[in-house]
Amino acid sequence: MEAKVWEYSSNEDSDDDNDQVYLQNASDEEDLHFTSSSLPKLQFRNVKSKCRWNEEMGMAEVIEKNGKMWVSTGIVRSGNIYTSIEETLYLMELGALHLVDDENRSISLIEMYDKVAGGKSGCCWELFEAYRHLKSLGYIIGRHGVAWSLKSVRSSQKQVALEVTEESTQVVDIGSKLELSICKLFGDLKINDLKPDFDVYLPDSRFRKSSPGDPNFMLYLSRGNLPSRAEIEALERQCGGIPLKICQVTEGRVSFFSFDKVELPVLSG
């Protein structure tokens, strides 16, 4: 028999003055599939990093890097840093990132909100809310199954592993196929797949992308109802002994659950 263990929850309607991510708003009006109470408190910074959004890749390439956040943000490929859509939007909300397109036109927050709300690039609004909540608490978060750096996977000088999963390992030459590799890697990520969504690490100033170690837990976003026992067991098998947490987002409230197996004693009559 399984017992649900309530871990912790977050309500975006909190009045905590220390929260630098959320802007509280009593209005219930909606815009682009998200409520105004979920809009962030924008952080205006004098020095920003700059990224160029690649629509085909569904990621942004860092072209000007400022700040220490890049130690634990983005994946490294052939010396370049690429950020996922949730990482890109989060940094834009903090005012730490200026995003442009291929023609060097500035891309607005509203445009990125629309992409996330539309389920683009392997991310949906609920998944972004989970990412934003954990990131605001200081956790280090990466897409599950996506290596932080090619140094952290087995590779040679001429070849690089694009995907390392239980199902397949694909190897190609570095260079001309780099962009194709990232496109395929993120293109294969399906929002409704029964697999962990994020690898989550505790805040650690010694974190290195080249040797991240095992995550402290893996996170799965529940789409609708909580997963069944069979689904939880299937997810746990993919975690390889690393704790699994289930996340559920309801009307801006981000909740986390973990599950324990317990044996009930047999009561004699």
mmCIF file of all heavy atoms in Angstrom, residues 209-249:
data_model
loop_
_atom_site.group_PDB
_atom_site.id
_atom_site.type_symbol
_atom_site.label_atom_id
_atom_site.label_comp_id
_atom_site.label_asym_id
_atom_site.label_seq_id
_atom_site.Cartn_x
_atom_site.Cartn_y
_atom_site.Cartn_z
ATOM 1 N N LYS A 209 28.975 22.050 -14.495
ATOM 2 C CA LYS A 209 28.269 21.351 -15.560
ATOM 3 C C LYS A 209 29.045 20.142 -16.070
ATOM 4 O O LYS A 209 28.454 19.158 -16.527
ATOM 5 C CB LYS A 209 27.991 22.312 -16.723
ATOM 6 C CG LYS A 209 27.021 23.427 -16.390
ATOM 7 C CD LYS A 209 26.845 24.370 -17.573
ATOM 8 C CE LYS A 209 25.933 25.531 -17.221
ATOM 9 N NZ LYS A 209 25.783 26.489 -18.338
ATOM 10 N N SER A 210 30.364 20.219 -15.992
ATOM 11 C CA SER A 210 31.200 19.120 -16.475
ATOM 12 C C SER A 210 31.137 17.910 -15.554
ATOM 13 O O SER A 210 31.431 16.795 -15.983
ATOM 14 C CB SER A 210 32.649 19.583 -16.630
ATOM 15 O OG SER A 210 33.149 20.070 -15.387
ATOM 16 N N SER A 211 30.769 18.113 -14.303
ATOM 17 C CA SER A 211 30.642 16.994 -13.349
ATOM 18 C C SER A 211 29.529 17.315 -12.360
ATOM 19 O O SER A 211 29.792 17.575 -11.187
ATOM 20 C CB SER A 211 31.969 16.763 -12.617
ATOM 21 O OG SER A 211 32.416 17.969 -11.992
ATOM 22 N N PRO A 212 28.265 17.301 -12.825
ATOM 23 C CA PRO A 212 27.152 17.714 -11.962
ATOM 24 C C PRO A 212 26.822 16.722 -10.857
ATOM 25 O O PRO A 212 26.227 17.101 -9.846
ATOM 26 C CB PRO A 212 25.988 17.846 -12.948
ATOM 27 C CG PRO A 212 26.332 16.889 -14.050
ATOM 28 C CD PRO A 212 27.825 16.942 -14.180
ATOM 29 N N GLY A 213 27.202 15.457 -11.051
ATOM 30 C CA GLY A 213 26.815 14.442 -10.079
ATOM 31 C C GLY A 213 25.342 14.093 -10.227
ATOM 32 O O GLY A 213 24.640 14.567 -11.130
ATOM 33 N N ASP A 214 24.852 13.252 -9.319
ATOM 34 C CA ASP A 214 23.454 12.855 -9.365
ATOM 35 C C ASP A 214 22.565 13.958 -8.805
ATOM 36 O O ASP A 214 22.930 14.625 -7.828
ATOM 37 C CB ASP A 214 23.228 11.578 -8.547
ATOM 38 C CG ASP A 214 23.867 10.361 -9.185
ATOM 39 O OD1 ASP A 214 24.015 10.355 -10.427
ATOM 40 O OD2 ASP A 214 24.208 9.415 -8.448
ATOM 41 N N PRO A 215 21.396 14.156 -9.396
ATOM 42 C CA PRO A 215 20.467 15.143 -8.835
ATOM 43 C C PRO A 215 19.952 14.686 -7.472
ATOM 44 O O PRO A 215 19.969 13.489 -7.165
ATOM 45 C CB PRO A 215 19.340 15.200 -9.876
ATOM 46 C CG PRO A 215 19.414 13.889 -10.599
ATOM 47 C CD PRO A 215 20.866 13.513 -10.613
ATOM 48 N N ASN A 216 19.498 15.634 -6.673
ATOM 49 C CA ASN A 216 18.932 15.288 -5.373
ATOM 50 C C ASN A 216 17.560 14.647 -5.517
ATOM 51 O O ASN A 216 17.164 13.823 -4.693
ATOM 52 C CB ASN A 216 18.846 16.532 -4.485
ATOM 53 C CG ASN A 216 20.225 17.023 -4.085
ATOM 54 O OD1 ASN A 216 20.852 17.782 -4.817
ATOM 55 N ND2 ASN A 216 20.727 16.572 -2.947
ATOM 56 N N PHE A 217 16.831 15.060 -6.547
ATOM 57 C CA PHE A 217 15.576 14.381 -6.867
ATOM 58 C C PHE A 217 15.201 14.690 -8.304
ATOM 59 O O PHE A 217 15.730 15.616 -8.921
ATOM 60 C CB PHE A 217 14.440 14.775 -5.904
ATOM 61 C CG PHE A 217 14.035 16.225 -5.928
ATOM 62 C CD1 PHE A 217 13.035 16.687 -6.786
ATOM 63 C CD2 PHE A 217 14.627 17.140 -5.064
ATOM 64 C CE1 PHE A 217 12.655 18.008 -6.791
ATOM 65 C CE2 PHE A 217 14.247 18.470 -5.060
ATOM 66 C CZ PHE A 217 13.254 18.910 -5.930
ATOM 67 N N MET A 218 14.305 13.881 -8.829
ATOM 68 C CA MET A 218 13.767 14.100 -10.162
ATOM 69 C C MET A 218 12.316 14.527 -10.025
ATOM 70 O O MET A 218 11.606 14.070 -9.128
ATOM 71 C CB MET A 218 13.888 12.838 -11.019
ATOM 72 C CG MET A 218 15.324 12.447 -11.301
ATOM 73 S SD MET A 218 15.434 11.015 -12.392
ATOM 74 C CE MET A 218 17.227 10.798 -12.452
ATOM 75 N N LEU A 219 11.894 15.398 -10.918
ATOM 76 C CA LEU A 219 10.558 15.976 -10.831
ATOM 77 C C LEU A 219 9.724 15.587 -12.046
ATOM 78 O O LEU A 219 10.180 15.675 -13.186
ATOM 79 C CB LEU A 219 10.647 17.500 -10.749
ATOM 80 C CG LEU A 219 9.333 18.229 -10.490
ATOM 81 C CD1 LEU A 219 8.885 18.024 -9.049
ATOM 82 C CD2 LEU A 219 9.474 19.718 -10.789
ATOM 83 N N TYR A 220 8.505 15.160 -11.760
ATOM 84 C CA TYR A 220 7.544 14.844 -12.820
ATOM 85 C C TYR A 220 6.318 15.727 -12.639
ATOM 86 O O TYR A 220 5.752 15.806 -11.541
ATOM 87 C CB TYR A 220 7.127 13.369 -12.768
ATOM 88 C CG TYR A 220 5.958 13.037 -13.673
ATOM 89 C CD1 TYR A 220 6.131 12.931 -15.049
ATOM 90 C CD2 TYR A 220 4.676 12.837 -13.146
ATOM 91 C CE1 TYR A 220 5.056 12.635 -15.888
ATOM 92 C CE2 TYR A 220 3.608 12.539 -13.973
ATOM 93 C CZ TYR A 220 3.805 12.437 -15.346
ATOM 94 O OH TYR A 220 2.742 12.147 -16.164
ATOM 95 N N LEU A 221 5.917 16.420 -13.700
ATOM 96 C CA LEU A 221 4.723 17.256 -13.648
ATOM 97 C C LEU A 221 3.500 16.418 -13.953
ATOM 98 O O LEU A 221 3.388 15.831 -15.027
ATOM 99 C CB LEU A 221 4.822 18.411 -14.646
ATOM 100 C CG LEU A 221 3.564 19.291 -14.746
ATOM 101 C CD1 LEU A 221 3.376 20.105 -13.464
ATOM 102 C CD2 LEU A 221 3.643 20.213 -15.959
ATOM 103 N N SER A 222 2.576 16.372 -13.004
ATOM 104 C CA SER A 222 1.329 15.639 -13.201
ATOM 105 C C SER A 222 0.399 16.447 -14.085
ATOM 106 O O SER A 222 0.100 17.603 -13.806
ATOM 107 C CB SER A 222 0.660 15.365 -11.846
ATOM 108 O OG SER A 222 -0.574 14.718 -12.031
ATOM 109 N N ARG A 223 -0.024 15.842 -15.168
ATOM 110 C CA ARG A 223 -0.948 16.499 -16.086
ATOM 111 C C ARG A 223 -2.369 16.095 -15.708
ATOM 112 O O ARG A 223 -2.847 15.035 -16.075
ATOM 113 C CB ARG A 223 -0.669 16.090 -17.527
ATOM 114 C CG ARG A 223 0.512 16.797 -18.189
ATOM 115 C CD ARG A 223 1.847 16.295 -17.711
ATOM 116 N NE ARG A 223 2.947 16.838 -18.513
ATOM 117 C CZ ARG A 223 4.225 16.676 -18.198
ATOM 118 N NH1 ARG A 223 4.584 16.006 -17.106
ATOM 119 N NH2 ARG A 223 5.165 17.196 -18.963
ATOM 120 N N GLY A 224 -3.038 16.939 -14.956
ATOM 121 C CA GLY A 224 -4.384 16.597 -14.515
ATOM 122 C C GLY A 224 -4.339 15.888 -13.179
ATOM 123 O O GLY A 224 -3.831 16.411 -12.191
ATOM 124 N N ASN A 225 -4.878 14.659 -13.148
ATOM 125 C CA ASN A 225 -4.895 13.884 -11.917
ATOM 126 C C ASN A 225 -3.505 13.360 -11.577
ATOM 127 O O ASN A 225 -2.641 13.238 -12.444
ATOM 128 C CB ASN A 225 -5.874 12.710 -12.037
ATOM 129 C CG ASN A 225 -7.305 13.166 -12.258
ATOM 130 O OD1 ASN A 225 -7.714 14.189 -11.714
ATOM 131 N ND2 ASN A 225 -8.056 12.421 -13.049
ATOM 132 N N LEU A 226 -3.296 13.055 -10.294
ATOM 133 C CA LEU A 226 -2.034 12.442 -9.898
ATOM 134 C C LEU A 226 -1.874 11.099 -10.594
ATOM 135 O O LEU A 226 -2.866 10.418 -10.874
ATOM 136 C CB LEU A 226 -1.997 12.262 -8.378
ATOM 137 C CG LEU A 226 -1.881 13.546 -7.553
ATOM 138 C CD1 LEU A 226 -2.022 13.242 -6.071
ATOM 139 C CD2 LEU A 226 -0.553 14.239 -7.823
ATOM 140 N N PRO A 227 -0.642 10.698 -10.886
ATOM 141 C CA PRO A 227 -0.424 9.433 -11.599
ATOM 142 C C PRO A 227 -0.881 8.241 -10.782
ATOM 143 O O PRO A 227 -0.915 8.277 -9.549
ATOM 144 C CB PRO A 227 1.090 9.415 -11.834
ATOM 145 C CG PRO A 227 1.652 10.332 -10.798
ATOM 146 C CD PRO A 227 0.624 11.389 -10.589
ATOM 147 N N SER A 228 -1.224 7.172 -11.480
ATOM 148 C CA SER A 228 -1.639 5.931 -10.827
ATOM 149 C C SER A 228 -0.430 5.231 -10.213
ATOM 150 O O SER A 228 0.722 5.606 -10.447
ATOM 151 C CB SER A 228 -2.311 5.005 -11.838
ATOM 152 O OG SER A 228 -1.358 4.588 -12.815
ATOM 153 N N ARG A 229 -0.712 4.200 -9.445
ATOM 154 C CA ARG A 229 0.380 3.438 -8.838
ATOM 155 C C ARG A 229 1.304 2.855 -9.900
ATOM 156 O O ARG A 229 2.526 2.914 -9.764
ATOM 157 C CB ARG A 229 -0.193 2.312 -7.967
ATOM 158 C CG ARG A 229 0.870 1.393 -7.398
ATOM 159 C CD ARG A 229 0.274 0.363 -6.475
ATOM 160 N NE ARG A 229 1.294 -0.564 -5.990
ATOM 161 C CZ ARG A 229 1.089 -1.498 -5.073
ATOM 162 N NH1 ARG A 229 -0.118 -1.628 -4.537
ATOM 163 N NH2 ARG A 229 2.054 -2.296 -4.699
ATOM 164 N N ALA A 230 0.699 2.302 -10.952
ATOM 165 C CA ALA A 230 1.515 1.710 -12.025
ATOM 166 C C ALA A 230 2.385 2.772 -12.693
ATOM 167 O O ALA A 230 3.548 2.519 -13.022
ATOM 168 C CB ALA A 230 0.613 1.034 -13.051
ATOM 169 N N GLU A 231 1.846 3.964 -12.893
ATOM 170 C CA GLU A 231 2.608 5.046 -13.517
ATOM 171 C C GLU A 231 3.739 5.529 -12.610
ATOM 172 O O GLU A 231 4.843 5.807 -13.078
ATOM 173 C CB GLU A 231 1.675 6.205 -13.860
ATOM 174 C CG GLU A 231 0.719 5.889 -15.005
ATOM 175 C CD GLU A 231 -0.316 6.978 -15.222
ATOM 176 O OE1 GLU A 231 -0.674 7.660 -14.227
ATOM 177 O OE2 GLU A 231 -0.781 7.134 -16.371
ATOM 178 N N ILE A 232 3.461 5.605 -11.313
ATOM 179 C CA ILE A 232 4.506 6.005 -10.364
ATOM 180 C C ILE A 232 5.639 4.991 -10.360
ATOM 181 O O ILE A 232 6.826 5.350 -10.365
ATOM 182 C CB ILE A 232 3.919 6.171 -8.952
ATOM 183 C CG1 ILE A 232 2.971 7.373 -8.918
ATOM 184 C CG2 ILE A 232 5.028 6.363 -7.924
ATOM 185 C CD1 ILE A 232 2.205 7.516 -7.630
ATOM 186 N N GLU A 233 5.296 3.718 -10.369
ATOM 187 C CA GLU A 233 6.328 2.679 -10.387
ATOM 188 C C GLU A 233 7.139 2.744 -11.676
ATOM 189 O O GLU A 233 8.361 2.534 -11.662
ATOM 190 C CB GLU A 233 5.678 1.307 -10.213
ATOM 191 C CG GLU A 233 5.107 1.086 -8.811
ATOM 192 C CD GLU A 233 4.378 -0.233 -8.676
ATOM 193 O OE1 GLU A 233 4.064 -0.849 -9.732
ATOM 194 O OE2 GLU A 233 4.103 -0.652 -7.528
ATOM 195 N N ALA A 234 6.474 3.043 -12.800
ATOM 196 C CA ALA A 234 7.198 3.176 -14.073
ATOM 197 C C ALA A 234 8.143 4.373 -14.028
ATOM 198 O O ALA A 234 9.275 4.299 -14.532
ATOM 199 C CB ALA A 234 6.198 3.331 -15.208
ATOM 200 N N LEU A 235 7.708 5.467 -13.411
ATOM 201 C CA LEU A 235 8.560 6.645 -13.268
ATOM 202 C C LEU A 235 9.746 6.344 -12.361
ATOM 203 O O LEU A 235 10.889 6.741 -12.657
ATOM 204 C CB LEU A 235 7.751 7.818 -12.709
ATOM 205 C CG LEU A 235 6.775 8.493 -13.666
ATOM 206 C CD1 LEU A 235 5.791 9.368 -12.897
ATOM 207 C CD2 LEU A 235 7.520 9.320 -14.707
ATOM 208 N N GLU A 236 9.497 5.661 -11.246
ATOM 209 C CA GLU A 236 10.571 5.358 -10.290
ATOM 210 C C GLU A 236 11.633 4.467 -10.913
ATOM 211 O O GLU A 236 12.818 4.599 -10.602
ATOM 212 C CB GLU A 236 9.987 4.713 -9.043
ATOM 213 C CG GLU A 236 9.209 5.687 -8.162
ATOM 214 C CD GLU A 236 8.603 5.028 -6.938
ATOM 215 O OE1 GLU A 236 8.364 3.792 -6.995
ATOM 216 O OE2 GLU A 236 8.359 5.737 -5.944
ATOM 217 N N ARG A 237 11.224 3.580 -11.802
ATOM 218 C CA ARG A 237 12.209 2.716 -12.471
ATOM 219 C C ARG A 237 13.158 3.542 -13.331
ATOM 220 O O ARG A 237 14.322 3.177 -13.516
ATOM 221 C CB ARG A 237 11.490 1.659 -13.316
ATOM 222 C CG ARG A 237 10.876 0.527 -12.501
ATOM 223 C CD ARG A 237 10.504 -0.641 -13.393
ATOM 224 N NE ARG A 237 9.423 -0.298 -14.315
ATOM 225 C CZ ARG A 237 8.126 -0.441 -14.048
ATOM 226 N NH1 ARG A 237 7.741 -0.927 -12.853
ATOM 227 N NH2 ARG A 237 7.208 -0.112 -14.936
ATOM 228 N N GLN A 238 12.669 4.647 -13.868
ATOM 229 C CA GLN A 238 13.513 5.509 -14.691
ATOM 230 C C GLN A 238 14.456 6.371 -13.852
ATOM 231 O O GLN A 238 15.407 6.945 -14.380
ATOM 232 C CB GLN A 238 12.631 6.426 -15.547
ATOM 233 C CG GLN A 238 11.731 5.702 -16.525
ATOM 234 C CD GLN A 238 10.866 6.665 -17.318
ATOM 235 O OE1 GLN A 238 11.374 7.553 -17.995
ATOM 236 N NE2 GLN A 238 9.554 6.497 -17.243
ATOM 237 N N CYS A 239 14.184 6.467 -12.557
ATOM 238 C CA CYS A 239 14.978 7.337 -11.686
ATOM 239 C C CYS A 239 16.242 6.667 -11.164
ATOM 240 O O CYS A 239 17.111 7.352 -10.609
ATOM 241 C CB CYS A 239 14.123 7.828 -10.511
ATOM 242 S SG CYS A 239 12.787 8.934 -10.998
ATOM 243 N N GLY A 240 16.346 5.354 -11.301
ATOM 244 C CA GLY A 240 17.562 4.662 -10.882
ATOM 245 C C GLY A 240 17.914 4.854 -9.416
ATOM 246 O O GLY A 240 19.084 5.010 -9.074
ATOM 247 N N GLY A 241 16.919 4.861 -8.550
ATOM 248 C CA GLY A 241 17.178 4.998 -7.123
ATOM 249 C C GLY A 241 17.191 6.430 -6.620
ATOM 250 O O GLY A 241 17.248 6.667 -5.408
ATOM 251 N N ILE A 242 17.143 7.402 -7.513
ATOM 252 C CA ILE A 242 17.089 8.813 -7.112
ATOM 253 C C ILE A 242 15.643 9.153 -6.744
ATOM 254 O O ILE A 242 14.715 8.748 -7.445
ATOM 255 C CB ILE A 242 17.582 9.723 -8.251
ATOM 256 C CG1 ILE A 242 19.064 9.438 -8.524
ATOM 257 C CG2 ILE A 242 17.377 11.187 -7.918
ATOM 258 C CD1 ILE A 242 19.605 10.121 -9.754
ATOM 259 N N PRO A 243 15.420 9.858 -5.647
ATOM 260 C CA PRO A 243 14.051 10.177 -5.227
ATOM 261 C C PRO A 243 13.247 10.872 -6.314
ATOM 262 O O PRO A 243 13.773 11.688 -7.071
ATOM 263 C CB PRO A 243 14.252 11.091 -4.010
ATOM 264 C CG PRO A 243 15.597 10.716 -3.480
ATOM 265 C CD PRO A 243 16.420 10.372 -4.675
ATOM 266 N N LEU A 244 11.970 10.519 -6.376
ATOM 267 C CA LEU A 244 11.044 11.117 -7.338
ATOM 268 C C LEU A 244 10.038 11.987 -6.598
ATOM 269 O O LEU A 244 9.510 11.592 -5.556
ATOM 270 C CB LEU A 244 10.300 10.023 -8.109
ATOM 271 C CG LEU A 244 9.127 10.475 -8.981
ATOM 272 C CD1 LEU A 244 9.628 11.243 -10.203
ATOM 273 C CD2 LEU A 244 8.276 9.278 -9.412
ATOM 274 N N LYS A 245 9.783 13.154 -7.127
ATOM 275 C CA LYS A 245 8.724 14.006 -6.600
ATOM 276 C C LYS A 245 7.743 14.319 -7.718
ATOM 277 O O LYS A 245 8.140 14.519 -8.868
ATOM 278 C CB LYS A 245 9.289 15.302 -6.006
ATOM 279 C CG LYS A 245 10.159 15.062 -4.771
ATOM 280 C CD LYS A 245 10.499 16.353 -4.070
ATOM 281 C CE LYS A 245 11.492 16.109 -2.937
ATOM 282 N NZ LYS A 245 10.952 15.208 -1.908
ATOM 283 N N ILE A 246 6.478 14.347 -7.352
ATOM 284 C CA ILE A 246 5.422 14.653 -8.292
ATOM 285 C C ILE A 246 4.992 16.101 -8.064
ATOM 286 O O ILE A 246 4.781 16.521 -6.928
ATOM 287 C CB ILE A 246 4.207 13.723 -8.102
ATOM 288 C CG1 ILE A 246 4.653 12.247 -8.093
ATOM 289 C CG2 ILE A 246 3.172 13.972 -9.190
ATOM 290 C CD1 ILE A 246 5.240 11.762 -9.371
ATOM 291 N N CYS A 247 4.867 16.842 -9.136
ATOM 292 C CA CYS A 247 4.448 18.246 -9.047
ATOM 293 C C CYS A 247 3.071 18.398 -9.678
ATOM 294 O O CYS A 247 2.787 17.812 -10.726
ATOM 295 C CB CYS A 247 5.461 19.147 -9.759
ATOM 296 S SG CYS A 247 4.981 20.889 -9.818
ATOM 297 N N GLN A 248 2.227 19.179 -9.024
ATOM 298 C CA GLN A 248 0.918 19.489 -9.577
ATOM 299 C C GLN A 248 0.689 20.993 -9.465
ATOM 300 O O GLN A 248 0.927 21.586 -8.406
ATOM 301 C CB GLN A 248 -0.181 18.722 -8.843
ATOM 302 C CG GLN A 248 -1.533 18.779 -9.527
ATOM 303 C CD GLN A 248 -2.520 17.800 -8.921
ATOM 304 O OE1 GLN A 248 -2.634 17.713 -7.697
ATOM 305 N NE2 GLN A 248 -3.230 17.053 -9.748
ATOM 306 N N VAL A 249 0.270 21.604 -10.561
ATOM 307 C CA VAL A 249 0.022 23.047 -10.590
ATOM 308 C C VAL A 249 -1.468 23.264 -10.824
ATOM 309 O O VAL A 249 -2.017 22.832 -11.844
ATOM 310 C CB VAL A 249 0.842 23.740 -11.692
ATOM 311 C CG1 VAL A 249 0.552 25.237 -11.702
ATOM 312 C CG2 VAL A 249 2.329 23.491 -11.500
#
